[in-house]
Amino acid sequence: MSTDVAASILFGDLRDSYDKQQMRVDTLRTAAGKLEAQFLVSVRDRATRRNSSVSEKERQAHDELRRLLNQTRQRLAEELQHLQWIRRRHNMAIINRKAHNRFLSGMDDKVARAERTLSLLTTTFLANTEAVKANISLVLDTVLSQNLFAYIDATGVSVETAKRYTSAVQKWQARINSLVTGKTSETRMAGVLLVKHTALQSPQLLSENVAKWTTSLLGVLGKAEVMPVLIATLQTLLSFIDAVRDVPMFYRDIISAQVPRMNQAILAMVDKNPDLMSQVLEVLDRSATWFPTLFRPSIDKAEALCLRLLDGSDMRNSPELCEQAAKCLAALSLAGGKITAEERWFQCAQQAMGTIQQCIDHMMCTGSDAGEPVQQFALPLLADDFAVSIPQAADRISAMTEVLIALLTQPTNVDIPVPVDGILGIASRLAMVPVRAGSSKNARSEYDLIPLLTPQIQRASIRIMAVLAISLGSHMQPYLSAVARAVTAINTRQVVSPALNVALHCLLQLYIERYGYGFVMHLPYDLVVSTADDICVQQKTKAAKVTMSASESAPSSKKRGGNGKSRGPNTFGVIESAQATHIHWDDTVLAALKTVLALLQHTPTVFTSALRTRVDSQILTLLMLFAIGGMEMPFASRQSDAPHRALLYRCLEASILSPDPWQKAILPHAVSAFSAGLADPSTAVRDVCAEALVTIDPIIHSRLPAQLREPDTKENFSNENQVSWMMSDRDNTSIDAVLSGVQADNQSDDEDDKKMQVADEPVVEEVKRFKQDTIVPPVVKSTVVPVVEAREYSKPLQNQTSQQSVALPPQQPTTSLFNTPAPPAQTSAAEVSDNNDDDDIPDIVMEGSDSEYE
């Protein structure tokens, strides 16, 4: 047996062992995952229940799960170690084999396997129509799972294997081309799908056959086909055009020749197959965006198709289709043609605004203002009956709003002049429609329909103002006051609509985050108060379960509580109902919390002290209510309320980081709330609480900045030595007296020992004032005399009640120890003693503080 054969046998055995060991590891991992899931459920169940309610059987089952989980993890670790050992042996066997022969034989094997697979699929599974019907799913799975077309022009392959593989690929191409032009819908469907996936796997085959495949697919669109075949053909054509649109070599043969033909075929097909409208609009949108010049011959037909969907009749049944039609119309506006792209875009915007204005005038029964005629789209007239035409007008307003949004969000290659005044005027008129209808003096029965349509009309206004802020950015600064007036009109809330309230709060959040005080300064304070009122959450309380009947409510049955007060039988029922109380959230509260969070983060001073206190109290109350009622709520409900709780904690954090000077201190309550939130079952809530605790930690434990001091001079160093010697020798002497004595001795004058000169003027005046009554202690050499205050030697001062008593600096004996000059004293002994708080540590004066200059 040769070395290569032995190495191959060893390699095969190691590979089999490795596969078996990997299977064992996968089995153990699956088992460990299931045990972990069961154990987690058990832990959560025990965490939400009292210890007394857990039975002994449940505890034993919990312990058994823990034991099995630990045992499985230990076994998994052992099997992983064995798997790593086999892997190392396997890698060494691979290295020991000859690299060149291994590469050649491996590549030959791969190409030969791909050739055999392609031949089998072509000759057996796609042999005839019946085989195609029965095996198309298997063929598609095989093509998708195996990269059968990756070895075209591959290197390191023998000539014979390469020839067989090339022949198999050619047979495959011929077979799928024949399937595309087959006689039945099943074969054409199979051919379209196989062509698509073949092109996606092999760009070389796509470049060689894209012209032929595109022509074949366009031929399929011209036939009377079933819906699945037409949808697959449109998607395949779109993928082909997307792949070759940036390749210059295909522009003449594929793009210029096939794209106009494709547009015409699609527009002709949609009349016969109205159910394909969504796919047709997508293809037209892409074609007009990618090739605006080639799309100009089809602009009129495509625009008529879009306007047919935007007349308002399909707005309620298929809003997604109307949105696609609006995007397609916006793409057509940039195609140009007889007029430039800028002029076409501006004309389309004017027509959309004119249509909205005409609908508003129809709803309010008013005519248009005299002057230039308003441009409008060529849409069908509204019905004569107002009961039918007013809902039609509202639906048409929603459709034209989609057109304005698509025009403002459509990417352009040229500068477009946006008529902001006109668009914002239309939004303001839409916001004022319910107000005008409610304040109208005409008692028209048609106005009774407007309150029902108010949410739809005002949401259109909100969407227009939101897209203006998103698309124009800082250019909306001069128009913020008009936006604030429109928002105020919408906030009147003549009709209670949760969807409208949510949209209004989202608009407020958007403008507050983008413009801050520039927008808030134009809002009335009542709107801020109403936003704070919207965070109030309704509470759902279950019916009280009274444990005692009414017949048992005799005076003898009353009990005394711990505080001596009588407690009736209904007390237990009240307690039980209070425990069953839990918070009921809705989308309005969530949107209001987001608006309050934006106000606290960007414009915190907009709240008055009373309103700020109310907001903080409401947030803390909601958190406490959840903490109280959380044990009674099921686990699924707590998980669904996690976004609301996380938002509450974020609002509380924002309130702490931007405090009100007159606000009550909520920091201790906030710390308790954040600490309790660390045990929340939701990971998002725990992350928010941990981040908040880290953020407010410097507020709780504030740290002073580093203190700066000048380098010690020679005089300061000698004074420090004197102080340390005196303190070590005299225990009864305070550090204040020692420091004062050093200063007094350094201020002694050789010419006059009885006079004391002090640099500080107030001290000098007081010394001169009581000079005749002060008795200087005798000088004693080589002895240490305790520090004695000056008032012991100035007894006549005690009898002078009319003068204020002043404590003079203590006198120190003149010895050789205190001959070193020192800087003049800054404070008297009494002042130093008062500032020391009876400790033996000198006060530290920070640089730049007020004490430094006293």
Side-chain angles (χ1 to χ4, degrees):
M1 183 182 295
S2 63
T3 306
D4 294 341
V5 175
S8 299
I9 294 175
L10 180 61
F11 178 78
D13 294 340
L14 287 173
R15 185 64 186 179
D16 294 337
S17 301
Y18 179 80
D19 293 339
K20 293 179 181 178
Q21 187 65 22
Q22 184 67 44
M23 188 180 298
R24 296 192 192 96
V25 170
D26 294 340
T27 304
L28 287 173
R29 281 177 177 170
T30 304
K34 293 181 180 180
L35 289 174
E36 287 176 356
Q38 296 177 6
F39 185 75
L40 181 59
V41 171
S42 178
V43 169
R44 288 175 177 173
D45 182 68
R46 295 189 61 182
T48 56
R49 296 169 57 187
R50 298 181 179 89
N51 292 332
S52 58
S53 62
V54 180
S55 62
E56 186 65 26
K57 185 177 181 180
E58 291 176 346
R59 289 193 178 92
Q60 293 178 359
H62 184 76
D63 296 337
E64 182 66 19
L65 277 176
R66 182 189 289 109
R67 186 186 64 81
L68 289 176
L69 181 59
N70 294 334
Q71 184 178 0
T72 306
R73 286 175 176 174
Q74 184 178 1
R75 179 69 181 278
L76 179 60
E78 295 175 356
E79 296 294 339
L80 281 174
Q81 291 180 358
H82 187 56
L83 180 65
Q84 292 175 0
W85 179 80
I86 297 177
R87 183 183 299 169
R88 288 194 295 267
R89 293 287 304 275
H90 178 266
N91 294 338
M92 291 299 298
I94 293 176
I95 294 173
N96 292 333
R97 301 179 68 182
K98 295 182 179 180
H100 183 65
N101 292 338
R102 183 180 71 250
F103 175 75
L104 292 180
S105 61
M107 184 59 68
D108 280 340
D109 293 341
K110 293 178 181 179
V111 175
R113 187 184 304 112
E115 181 267 330
R116 289 194 300 268
T117 305
L118 284 175
S119 300
L120 182 63
L121 294 176
T122 304
T123 58
T124 304
F125 294 98
L126 299 177
N128 48 43
T129 304
E130 288 74 13
V132 171
K133 293 179 181 179
N135 303 315
I136 182 60
S137 59
L138 176 61
V139 174
L140 286 175
D141 291 340
T142 306
V143 173
L144 291 174
S145 61
Q146 301 182 21
N147 198 358
L148 301 176
F149 308 101
Y151 308 107
I152 301 175
D153 298 335
T155 59
V157 183
S158 61
V159 178
E160 184 179 357
T161 305
K163 287 182 179 181
R164 291 199 306 269
Y165 178 74
T166 304
S167 177
V169 171
Q170 292 176 356
K171 292 180 181 179
W172 171 266
Q173 296 179 30
R175 183 54 183 159
I176 62 175
N177 289 336
S178 64
L179 290 176
V180 172
T181 59
K183 296 181 180 180
T184 62
S185 299
E186 291 82 1
T187 57
R188 287 192 291 269
M189 182 70 177
V192 170
L193 294 177
L194 293 176
V195 163
K196 178 182 177 180
H197 293 294
T198 302
L200 292 177
Q201 287 195 3
S202 177
Q204 184 174 355
L205 291 179
L206 174 63
S207 62
E208 294 176 356
N209 302 277
V210 63
K212 185 176 181 179
W213 287 344
T214 305
T215 305
S216 302
L217 293 175
L218 289 176
V220 174
L221 291 179
K223 298 179 180 179
E225 286 290 348
V226 294
M227 288 289 297
V229 177
L230 294 176
I231 293 175
T233 305
L234 288 175
Q235 293 177 352
T236 306
L237 271 176
L238 192 62
S239 63
F240 285 177
I241 300 299
D242 189 14
V244 301
R245 63 188 177 93
D246 293 330
V247 183
M249 60 179 296
F250 295 116
Y251 193 85
R252 180 178 179 181
D253 298 334
I254 306 300
I255 304 301
S256 299
Q258 303 295 343
V259 168
R261 183 185 170 190
M262 179 187 70
N263 296 333
Q264 296 295 334
I266 290 174
L267 290 173
M269 179 188 63
V270 72
D271 295 332
K272 302 177 182 178
N273 301 277
D275 297 335
L276 290 174
M277 188 66 70
S278 178
Q279 289 77 17
V280 168
L281 289 175
E282 181 182 2
V283 175
L284 292 177
D285 184 11
R286 300 288 184 85
S287 179
T289 304
W290 293 341
F291 317 107
T293 305
L294 298 176
F295 199 85
R296 289 174 184 173
S298 306
I299 284 181
D300 296 335
K301 292 183 179 180
E303 184 176 355
L305 176 63
C306 295
L307 291 178
R308 191 173 65 188
L309 298 172
L310 293 172
D311 61 350
S313 58
D314 296 331
M315 192 63 201
R316 296 181 183 272
N317 298 329
S318 54
E320 296 84 5
L321 195 60
C322 293
E323 184 179 355
Q324 283 187 337
K327 291 181 179 179
C328 183
L329 187 62
L332 295 177
S333 65
L334 298 175
K338 298 179 181 180
I339 57 178
T340 61
E342 298 90 337
E343 295 174 349
R344 182 177 287 275
W345 188 96
F346 189 81
Q347 180 182 358
C348 186
Q350 291 290 340
Q351 290 175 347
M353 290 188 293
T355 305
I356 295 176
Q357 184 176 351
Q358 188 265 340
C359 293
I360 295 175
D361 293 337
H362 180 81
M363 296 175 66
M364 302 305 301
C365 300
T366 58
S368 59
D369 298 334
E372 297 182 358
V374 180
Q375 299 182 9
Q376 302 178 15
F377 284 118
L379 298 175
L381 296 177
L382 298 174
D384 296 333
D385 187 4
F386 277 93
V388 179
S389 61
I390 288 181
Q392 286 181 355
D395 293 340
R396 188 168 293 182
I397 287 173
S398 300
M400 291 299 107
T401 302
E402 295 291 344
V403 175
L404 287 177
I405 292 173
L407 288 172
L408 291 172
T409 56
Q410 177 74 17
T412 60
N413 297 326
V414 294
D415 295 333
I416 301 294
V418 181
V420 184
D421 293 329
I423 297 176
L424 197 56
I426 290 296
S428 300
R429 290 197 64 186
L430 290 173
M432 293 296 295
V433 165
V435 180
R436 290 174 57 189
S439 60
S440 178
K441 297 180 180 179
N442 297 328
R444 300 180 62 93
S445 59
E446 294 84 3
Y447 288 163
D448 296 338
L449 295 174
I450 295 181
L452 301 177
L453 302 172
T454 295
Q456 180 182 357
I457 297 172
Q458 291 188 338
R459 273 190 298 171
S461 174
I462 289 173
R463 295 190 65 190
I464 292 174
M465 291 185 287
V467 77
L468 282 175
I470 294 172
S471 59
L472 299 183
S474 60
H475 296 286
M476 281 293 294
Q477 291 283 357
Y479 307 98
L480 294 180
S481 59
V483 175
R485 288 193 297 269
V487 169
T488 305
I490 297 174
N491 194 53
T492 55
R493 303 186 183 183
Q494 296 181 354
V495 178
V496 179
S497 173
L500 181 60
N501 294 338
V502 171
L504 180 61
H505 283 302
C506 292
L507 180 67
L508 288 173
Q509 178 190 359
L510 174 64
Y511 271 84
I512 291 169
E513 291 176 352
R514 285 183 175 267
Y515 305 108
Y517 284 102
F519 173 70
V520 174
M521 65 182 295
H522 300 291
L523 293 177
Y525 186 69
D526 295 340
L527 193 143
V528 180
V529 175
S530 65
T531 302
D533 293 338
D534 285 343
I535 67 174
C536 298
V537 180
Q538 299 178 359
Q539 300 180 21
K540 284 188 174 181
T541 307
K542 296 180 180 179
K545 298 180 181 179
V546 182
T547 56
M548 300 180 64
S549 62
S551 60
E552 296 177 353
S553 59
S556 60
S557 62
K558 293 185 179 181
K559 298 182 179 180
R560 290 281 177 176
N563 53 1
K565 296 182 180 180
S566 61
R567 184 169 58 190
N570 291 333
T571 305
F572 296 100
V574 173
I575 294 175
E576 190 171 356
S577 65
Q579 291 179 354
T581 301
H582 63 273
I583 302 173
H584 174 62
W585 297 99
D586 54 10
D587 295 336
T588 304
V589 178
L590 183 62
L593 283 174
K594 292 180 180 179
T595 306
V596 171
L597 177 61
L599 288 171
L600 291 173
Q601 290 178 343
H602 300 277
T603 58
T605 57
V606 73
F607 294 101
T608 61
S609 299
L611 183 59
R612 182 66 174 274
T613 302
R614 196 173 81 187
V615 170
D616 293 338
S617 302
Q618 181 65 21
I619 293 173
L620 289 171
T621 302
L622 291 177
L623 290 174
M624 287 188 292
L625 282 176
F626 175 79
I628 294 173
M631 298 301 296
E632 302 294 335
M633 296 174 61
F635 181 75
S637 299
R638 280 179 285 167
Q639 290 298 106
S640 62
D641 292 340
H644 303 78
R645 298 196 306 276
L647 196 55
L648 281 173
Y649 283 116
R650 288 192 180 277
C651 291
L652 187 59
E653 179 187 2
S655 179
I656 294 173
L657 296 180
S658 57
D660 186 7
W662 306 102
Q663 178 188 6
K664 294 183 180 180
I666 62 169
L667 188 58
H669 307 289
V671 173
S672 301
F674 288 134
S675 302
L678 295 177
D680 196 272
S682 175
T683 306
V685 177
R686 293 197 299 269
D687 294 342
V688 171
C689 294
E691 180 182 355
L693 288 175
V694 173
T695 304
I696 66 177
D697 182 72
I699 302 176
I700 303 173
H701 306 92
S702 57
R703 296 173 177 84
L704 293 175
Q707 300 177 5
L708 303 178
R709 56 176 297 181
E710 297 180 356
D712 291 335
T713 60
K714 183 178 180 181
E715 291 80 7
N716 293 337
F717 184 74
S718 60
N719 289 338
E720 290 178 1
N721 291 338
Q722 296 171 9
V723 172
S724 61
W725 177 83
M726 294 184 65
M727 291 299 297
S728 62
D729 187 69
R730 301 173 61 186
D731 297 335
N732 297 328
T733 305
S734 65
I735 190 168
D736 299 331
V738 172
L739 292 176
S740 301
V742 172
Q743 295 171 358
D745 182 72
N746 290 334
Q747 296 165 3
S748 61
D749 192 8
D750 296 336
E751 297 178 358
D752 190 0
D753 295 333
K754 295 181 181 181
K755 296 181 180 181
M756 183 173 55
Q757 299 178 358
V758 183
D760 200 358
E761 292 299 331
V763 178
V764 172
E765 291 179 1
E766 297 295 344
V767 172
K768 289 181 179 180
R769 183 177 181 181
F770 303 104
K771 181 178 178 182
Q772 66 276 10
D773 298 326
T774 303
I775 302 176
V776 180
V779 177
V780 181
K781 296 183 178 181
S782 302
T783 59
V784 180
V785 181
V787 179
V788 182
E789 294 185 358
R791 61 175 178 268
E792 297 182 5
Y793 298 98
S794 56
K795 295 180 179 179
L797 292 179
Q798 301 176 1
N799 300 326
Q800 300 177 4
T801 58
S802 61
Q803 299 179 1
Q804 183 180 359
S805 61
V806 178
L808 299 179
Q811 304 292 331
Q812 287 292 341
T814 304
T815 60
S816 59
L817 181 63
F818 302 97
N819 292 332
T820 305
Q826 300 295 329
T827 57
S828 62
E831 294 172 348
V832 173
S833 178
D834 292 338
N835 293 330
N836 279 337
D837 298 332
D838 297 332
D839 55 3
D840 295 334
I841 302 175
D843 291 341
I844 298 176
V845 179
M846 294 182 59
E847 190 176 15
S849 62
D850 297 334
S851 302
E852 185 180 3
Y853 302 99
E854 292 180 356

